[in-house]
Amino acid sequence: MANKIQSYWDRLRASRVWSSVFRSGPGGSRLHDALAVQQNVFLHLFSVKARKRLLGFSATWYLGALTFAAFLILVITGVLLMLYYHPSVPQAYNDMKDLQFVVSSGVFLRNLHRWSAHAMVLLVFAHMCKVFYRGAYRPPREFNWVIGVILLLITLLLSYTGYLLPWDQLAFWAVTVGSNIASAVPIAGKHIRFLLLGGNQVNANALLRFYVLHCVILPIVATFFIAIHFWRIRKDGGLYAPPPNVVADDIQPKSAAASEGTLR
Amino acid sequence: MADEVKKKVVEPPGPGDAQLWRMGVEDERINWSRRQFFVKLGTASIAVAGLGTVVFAYQFLSPNVLYEPSLVVNAGKPQGYPPDSVTLDVANRIYIVHSTEGFYALDAVCTHLGCVTAWKPEQHIIACPCHGSKFNPDGTKIEGPAPKPLPWKRVWVSDEGNLMVDRGADVAVRQYVRV
């Protein structure tokens, strides 16, 4: 039986249809595996090869990958929640309650979205600490650190805009306070608050604007920077961890060419 | 091939070129090739379009009509407020204060981060529940993180004899309205 499945599989992979979709075609060599990664629009962001040591848990604690996983869960659950949520003052709170008590699996999806959101903020922060204490921000990875800081800010903005959507007391006052913090910006503060809320108070316009920011604008911007972030890992010489058997005092900033694990 | 093309050195035009051009005087320093001229024209067009986009976006994102409650509040008859009383109107977020000197209205929104404050008659203070700012009944701060006192709002008596408050207009302190 297993042989039969294998032979069907092999036939499928040798077919003209398969090779028209997957450019690397059939084959199982090292070169072929590398080509399969390199010639795929999604996988080509990543290095075709990585050191086993850097794929172990201790090198990165998988914090970056876990952050991305949380983001994917948030996108999927968020899109599903959108099917039952109207961003309007009379309906928003009731829709949230409906999700909790009426919609099948609604409470599961809503809680999954909420907990993943908390987890993503936590993970992105832990990832930042890990990168910092490992010294993985040093040249040639400086710019990817900057991209990471931008992604941290986008994560916090996503968190903050999502906070208003349940339209309960907690959400209302949190955003009232938060938007007043924005108005503390010198000179332009009042204008920023007005543009953010679409008015002078946290009201229907603010709810709609936060909804659009939370569901459309910020996720698109985040996706854009995540792609750059991943691509830069490959370009800057792959994943980073200090070389083995190194005394901490010996670690000096290195050029890309000299750093261990360089694949350009 | 490329050597035969003589590159013309282009110096930036100095001040006064516009006047010379208007007088019909040819300035030999402006010696742009056709390509350079169109590149400059294109760059300038993109810059103008970009600036226009920014203005357009700012105007679009600023609503011209707001469906918010009116900033002018009818607080009812002055007789409804006993002497030496501080009354919180939660819906409109103002205090109507009837002091010995007369009536005045305070903004009930804390100047720290926008929470609605509360009147504590037993302590004779206005207190913010969020971060602990405390104010006197005249709006001056006693303690807490609030950066400014609670502003006084414009109060007048309408033709029907009702106390009116304009929440959009701050007035100087100690402007009492006697009824």
Side-chain angles (χ1 to χ4, degrees), chain B residues 71-75 81 85-89 92-99 102-109 126 136-140 149-156 163-178:
Chain B
L71 292 174
V72 177
V73 177
N74 182 341
Y81 301 94
S85 70
V86 178
T87 312
L88 172 60
D89 179 348
N92 296 311
R93 301 183 183 184
I94 46 172
Y95 289 105
I96 307 291
V97 186
H98 187 181
S99 67
F103 284 92
Y104 62 94
L106 280 181
D107 197 346
V109 176
I126 291 167
N136 288 311
D138 64 354
T140 51
L150 296 176
W152 287 44
K153 297 294 177 184
R154 198 164 80 84
V155 181
W156 71 99
L163 273 180
M164 305 296 284
V165 181
D166 186 352
R167 292 180 297 166
D170 289 10
V171 294
V173 291
R174 315 240 171 277
Q175 288 199 15
Y176 301 97
V177 173
R178 299 205 201 311

Side-chain angles (χ1 to χ4, degrees), chain A residues 177 180 191 195 198-201 209, chain B residues 58 61-63 66 68 113-114:
Chain A
V177 168
N180 272 312
H191 288 282
L195 290 183
N200 299 309
Q201 356 174 309
R209 279 181 190 214
Chain B
Y58 178 80
L61 292 173
S62 309
L66 288 176
E68 291 175 353
L113 287 175

